[in-house]
Amino acid sequence: MTLPRPPLAALALALLGGCGARPAVPPESAAAFVGRVSTELEAANRENQSAGFVSETYITPDTQALAAQANERYLTRLGAAVSASKRYAGQPLDAATARALMRLRLNVSAPAPADPQKRARLAELAAALDAKYGAGKYCPAGGRPCLNLDELSKILASSRNYRELLEAWKGWHDVGASMRADYVEFVALANEGARELGFRDLGVLWRAGYDMPPEQFDREAERLWQQVKPHYAALHCYTRVQLTRKYGPDKVPPGQPIPAHLLGNMWAQSWGKLYPDLLKPYPQAKVENADAQLVRQHWDATRMARSAESFYTSLGFPQLPPSFWERSMFTRPRDREVICHPNAWDMGTPGDVRVKVCLEPNDEDLYTIYHELGHVYYFLSYQAQPYLFRDGANDGFHEAIGDTVNLSVTPQYLARIGLVSAVAPSREALIDQQMKMALDKIAFLPFGRLIDQWRWRVFAGDIPPERYNASWWELRRRYQGIAPPLPRSEADFDPAAKFHIPDNTPYLRYFLSYILQFQFHKALCEAAGFEGPLYECSVFGNPEAGRRFRAMLASGAAQPWQDTLQQLTGTRQIDATALTQYFQPLLEWLRQKNQGEQCGW
Ligand code: X8Z
Ligand code: ZN
């Protein structure tokens, strides 16, 4: 598709239209319109990204105000573009132009109402919610120092003291309460914006980005959940047995949901921190993680990021530009408030890509930087696409790129880069390794599914503010089999203790990614000619896998994601069969191990 820009004078006349004596000006073609608004939006987006990056890496009232203003300007342009685009409704259009117009309406996660006051308020609320999350702290009584999320998360990960865990969990969750009123107002305004764009509510807009009707997409998500639910139930059963052993049946009763603060993670979304001392199936077998060597060899953040880069370059991706190294934030600064939640930024100027992370030398953060570079390489790969197609095939693809690479970060690969010692293969080592993976990949699935179950219903008005917290815990109980460790009420607002709620980032993307990444991994391993079991495959350095992967990334959002998926994997459906195959040895082990236990909740 070409995106020609009409001369401005011609455009002004076209807009005047009507019956005067002026010579008739041909109306702007749809393709020309797409070209013009793309250029305008691109400029507004650049400004928005700059203001956003500064405000998230330096939280002050000033940067918050500047971010709100830039966002407001972007939302204004987008609103104007979408309403102008309505004149092309029902007209015959070429496929690329029709797709660009469809995507125009989806180019936002919180659209604003046209009313300038409401728009300004929405932008202000969005910035305030972000800042409150980023600067959130728990200040214990008795003059002990306040703790931020990283510090509280470390307690959740390493302490095995029930009361200490409870204090850290409650300390952080109480930060959510201060965001409740803002969030209620934010939802009302963003919904109004979504309705003005022609959607029933914001949740419907979010679900419109999947190249199928939103209802069909709902059914797809449910089908996928049903595919993986038994795997989660098996892992939950094993984990609870171990936790009951550790904390006693009065604290962790069999047959009941697990208290949410005992799983090693603030949101109980991944459980890997329990692996070494509580969940490793064969305590004697030697499966190390990279923690010890990262510290011993003094890996700093740059070295971790360079290591990730070298994986991508081994697949034929280019080296990252110097500006990436100069402008990214790699560690938590000591002298200012920032949002440490990791993310990657496409600043909108060719080559200007960045990450914002707070790396520490540990295994988890090594995976994080490999994940974030997946986003960065996607940005760089689709840069040649027209503005409205510079995006993932769908948002699950964007999340799955770095994780696909991480599936190739096998123990053998880690040994090769000197971060673990080579392990002699054994049944025990395999089950241990699979358990470690499952505590991230399988434990996450219900969490990935439920966040937007909650939000879609909030946006639809089915969950009113006076039931925000109660319905949150109903879903957490139903999907994850966990329960709050303390009585919670509507004075609390626990959803806001999770970054993506105040930041308003859609979440089903991660659920999709956790399934898709196994499909991608399998396809790349096949392309590489690998013939062993999936869990042994690493495509590090394989040119053919690299070629296929790069081709997928380069197509961005220019075609329906089903086409992109088919090109890589030969199928048009997201499907958990590859995940199930990958974990076959562990699933069989769990089946036997759980026999005779009281599973479920
Ligand atoms: O937010 C993230 C990434 C940034 S896109 C670090 N993730 C989700 C989370 O932390 O909740 C990755 C896994 C799920
Ligand atoms: Zn991500």
Side-chain angles (χ1 to χ4, degrees):
M1 187 179 68
T2 54
L3 301 174
R5 267 164 252 158
L8 274 181
L11 183 70
L13 287 174
L15 291 176
L16 283 170
C19 50
R22 274 186 286 259
V25 176
E28 187 180 24
S29 75
F33 170 80
V34 165
R36 178 171 59 80
V37 298
S38 294
T39 308
E40 290 171 4
L41 282 174
E42 213 179 323
N45 176 56
R46 262 198 300 271
E47 185 199 352
N48 197 15
Q49 294 300 98
S50 291
F53 188 82
V54 176
S55 73
E56 293 196 17
T57 55
Y58 193 173
I59 304 174
T60 73
D62 298 325
T63 58
Q64 212 177 308
L66 291 169
Q69 285 159 20
N71 189 25
E72 193 186 333
R73 274 193 288 274
Y74 177 79
L75 292 172
T76 306
R77 280 224 181 274
L78 183 72
V82 171
S83 51
S85 74
K86 290 182 184 150
R87 69 178 109 117
Y88 302 104
Q91 286 192 14
L93 300 170
D94 68 89
T97 305
R99 185 166 176 81
L101 286 176
M102 180 274 286
R103 291 195 52 85
L104 180 62
R105 292 200 310 164
L106 307 177
N107 217 288
V108 60
S109 61
D115 176 317
Q117 268 170 7
K118 289 182 177 173
R119 184 187 297 138
R121 180 70 183 144
L122 178 80
E124 186 182 18
L125 287 166
L129 282 162
D130 250 350
K132 279 185 187 166
Y133 184 93
K137 286 197 179 48
Y138 163 55
C139 297
R144 283 181 289 154
C146 297
L147 300 171
N148 64 28
L149 177 58
D150 314 356
E151 292 157 338
L152 294 165
S153 293
K154 273 188 198 140
I155 298 176
L156 264 287
S158 60
S159 171
R160 301 292 178 256
N161 176 312
Y162 192 94
R163 297 221 63 80
E164 193 180 19
L165 288 165
L166 189 58
E167 185 187 0
W169 186 93
K170 179 176 184 318
W172 180 250
H173 279 75
D174 287 350
V175 167
S178 71
M179 293 181 241
R180 180 187 267 265
D182 286 356
Y183 194 73
V184 173
E185 204 185 339
F186 173 83
V187 167
L189 289 170
N191 261 340
E192 206 174 317
R195 280 192 280 273
E196 288 180 19
L197 293 183
F199 298 95
R200 198 177 64 225
D201 61 61
L202 183 56
V204 178
L205 186 159
W206 285 6
R207 276 169 282 168
Y210 294 98
D211 298 304
M212 61 174 73
E215 315 74 56
Q216 190 185 342
F217 180 66
D218 274 354
R219 287 195 297 275
E220 282 295 281
E222 184 55 25
R223 175 179 65 76
L224 294 170
W225 169 239
Q226 293 304 330
Q227 278 190 304
V228 296
K229 197 170 141 185
H231 307 340
Y232 178 73
L235 189 66
H236 181 283
C237 187
Y238 167 74
T239 301
R240 189 178 50 205
V241 169
Q242 307 309 315
L243 288 174
T244 305
R245 214 167 270 170
K246 170 77 190 167
Y247 294 101
D250 52 327
K251 297 271 197 297
V252 185
Q256 294 297 314
I258 301 171
H261 63 313
L262 301 181
L263 287 154
N265 171 276
M266 189 58 82
W267 309 276
Q269 69 181 67
S270 53
W271 306 344
K273 297 293 181 191
L274 304 187
Y275 169 80
D277 58 321
L278 295 180
L279 298 179
K280 190 169 181 295
Y282 297 99
Q284 318 311 337
K286 195 170 156 215
V287 172
E288 310 162 54
N289 63 24
D291 288 351
Q293 288 303 327
L294 286 166
V295 174
R296 196 164 306 144
Q297 297 174 28
H298 306 291
W299 279 52
D300 61 5
T302 309
R303 178 130 181 234
M304 291 163 75
R306 283 285 181 201
S307 158
E309 180 193 38
S310 72
F311 199 113
Y312 290 85
T313 54
S314 90
L315 294 177
F317 287 98
Q319 285 210 318
L320 293 167
S323 60
F324 170 85
W325 301 101
E326 288 151 13
R327 298 175 193 176
S328 289
M329 182 185 95
F330 290 107
T331 52
R332 184 189 270 277
R334 271 177 290 193
D335 57 350
R336 57 184 206 256
E337 298 291 354
V338 302
I339 298 185
C340 265
H341 187 88
N343 56 10
W345 294 69
D346 183 352
M347 302 303 291
T349 303
D352 191 352
V353 289
R354 309 180 192 174
V355 293
K356 172 185 70 60
V357 285
C358 296
L359 298 179
E360 296 195 18
N362 63 51
D363 184 71
E364 187 183 3
D365 287 3
L366 189 69
Y367 277 80
T368 296
I369 190 65
Y370 278 65
H371 171 92
E372 295 307 331
L373 287 202
H375 292 301
V376 165
Y377 276 107
Y378 217 158
F379 301 149
L380 292 172
S381 303
Y382 55 56
Q383 214 157 69
Q385 293 286 351
Y387 175 69
L388 289 166
F389 298 159
R390 277 179 224 152
D391 205 346
N394 69 37
D395 54 7
F397 280 60
H398 228 304
E399 293 305 332
I401 303 307
D403 279 18
T404 301
V405 164
N406 268 325
L407 290 177
S408 279
V409 177
T410 54
Q412 291 71 31
Y413 169 80
L414 287 174
R416 175 181 177 148
I417 62 170
L419 287 178
V420 300
S421 32
V423 178
S426 70
R427 178 83 193 152
E428 284 75 15
L430 169 61
I431 297 300
D432 275 0
Q433 171 63 17
Q434 289 236 306
M435 179 61 77
K436 184 164 173 286
M437 295 291 291
L439 292 173
D440 173 14
K441 301 296 179 191
I442 294 181
F444 178 78
L445 292 163
F447 187 75
R449 172 83 177 113
L450 77 86
I451 302 276
D452 284 351
Q453 292 285 84
W454 183 82
R455 253 187 316 199
W456 295 343
R457 286 163 59 190
V458 164
F459 294 145
D462 297 339
I463 298 177
E466 59 277 14
R467 291 209 18 90
Y468 272 2
N469 222 47
S471 2
W472 173 257
W473 284 108
E474 278 163 26
L475 288 165
R476 297 265 271 167
R477 183 189 183 104
R478 170 152 27 111
Y479 282 93
Q480 284 184 284
I482 65 168
L486 291 165
R488 304 303 276 171
S489 76
E490 295 303 328
D492 305 306
F493 186 36
D494 295 323
K498 177 69 197 166
F499 170 75
H500 303 70
I501 303 289
D503 191 60
N504 199 44
T505 306
Y507 209 83
L508 197 77
R509 58 184 61 185
Y510 301 108
F511 175 72
L512 300 175
S513 153
Y514 273 54
I515 294 174
L516 268 174
Q517 58 191 257
F518 290 92
Q519 283 180 277
F520 293 168
H521 181 60
K522 183 170 189 218
L524 295 181
C525 292
E526 279 166 12
F530 184 82
E531 284 174 354
L534 262 189
Y535 50 79
E536 277 179 8
C537 166
S538 174
V539 298
F540 179 77
N542 188 278
E544 182 55 17
R547 197 186 61 72
R548 301 283 293 270
F549 207 33
R550 283 183 282 121
M552 172 162 96
L553 271 60
S555 57
Q559 60 189 17
W561 64 261
Q562 293 89 337
D563 295 347
T564 308
L565 183 64
Q566 185 163 28
Q567 282 160 9
L568 183 71
T569 67
T571 164
R572 301 182 65 79
Q573 267 204 334
I574 307 181
D575 184 87
T577 308
L579 179 150
T580 303
Q581 257 176 27
Y582 183 98
F583 283 114
Q584 206 50 53
L586 180 73
L587 294 173
E588 177 51 27
W589 183 88
L590 281 170
R591 203 182 54 74
Q592 292 188 10
K593 184 85 185 164
N594 288 336
Q595 266 170 19
E597 300 292 354
Q598 191 184 346
C599 297
W601 55 86

Short mmCIF file of all heavy atoms in Angstrom, two decimals, residues 371-372 375 399 510, ligand 2:
data_model
loop_
_atom_site.label_atom_id
_atom_site.label_comp_id
_atom_site.label_asym_id
_atom_site.label_seq_id
_atom_site.Cartn_x
_atom_site.Cartn_y
_atom_site.Cartn_z
N HIS A 371 12.98 -11.56 26.93
CA HIS A 371 11.58 -11.29 26.56
C HIS A 371 11.44 -9.89 25.94
O HIS A 371 10.85 -9.72 24.88
CB HIS A 371 10.69 -11.41 27.80
CG HIS A 371 9.28 -10.94 27.59
ND1 HIS A 371 8.26 -11.77 27.20
CD2 HIS A 371 8.72 -9.70 27.69
CE1 HIS A 371 7.13 -11.08 27.08
NE2 HIS A 371 7.39 -9.82 27.37
N GLU A 372 11.99 -8.90 26.63
CA GLU A 372 11.82 -7.52 26.15
C GLU A 372 12.47 -7.31 24.78
O GLU A 372 11.95 -6.59 23.95
CB GLU A 372 12.36 -6.51 27.17
CG GLU A 372 11.60 -6.48 28.50
CD GLU A 372 10.10 -6.29 28.35
OE1 GLU A 372 9.65 -5.66 27.38
OE2 GLU A 372 9.36 -6.80 29.20
N HIS A 375 10.18 -7.89 21.90
CA HIS A 375 9.39 -6.72 21.47
C HIS A 375 10.24 -5.79 20.60
O HIS A 375 9.81 -5.32 19.56
CB HIS A 375 8.91 -5.93 22.69
CG HIS A 375 7.90 -6.65 23.54
ND1 HIS A 375 6.69 -7.08 23.06
CD2 HIS A 375 7.90 -6.97 24.86
CE1 HIS A 375 5.99 -7.64 24.05
NE2 HIS A 375 6.72 -7.59 25.14
N GLU A 399 3.85 -10.58 22.51
CA GLU A 399 4.34 -11.11 23.78
C GLU A 399 5.09 -12.42 23.61
O GLU A 399 5.91 -12.79 24.45
CB GLU A 399 3.18 -11.31 24.75
CG GLU A 399 2.52 -10.01 25.21
CD GLU A 399 3.51 -9.02 25.81
OE1 GLU A 399 4.54 -9.45 26.35
OE2 GLU A 399 3.26 -7.81 25.71
N TYR A 510 -1.14 -12.13 27.14
CA TYR A 510 -0.16 -13.01 27.78
C TYR A 510 -0.66 -14.45 27.80
O TYR A 510 0.10 -15.38 27.64
CB TYR A 510 0.16 -12.53 29.19
CG TYR A 510 0.73 -11.13 29.22
CD1 TYR A 510 -0.03 -10.07 29.70
CD2 TYR A 510 2.01 -10.87 28.73
CE1 TYR A 510 0.48 -8.78 29.70
CE2 TYR A 510 2.52 -9.58 28.73
CZ TYR A 510 1.76 -8.54 29.22
OH TYR A 510 2.26 -7.27 29.22
ZN ZN B 2 6.07 -8.26 26.98
#
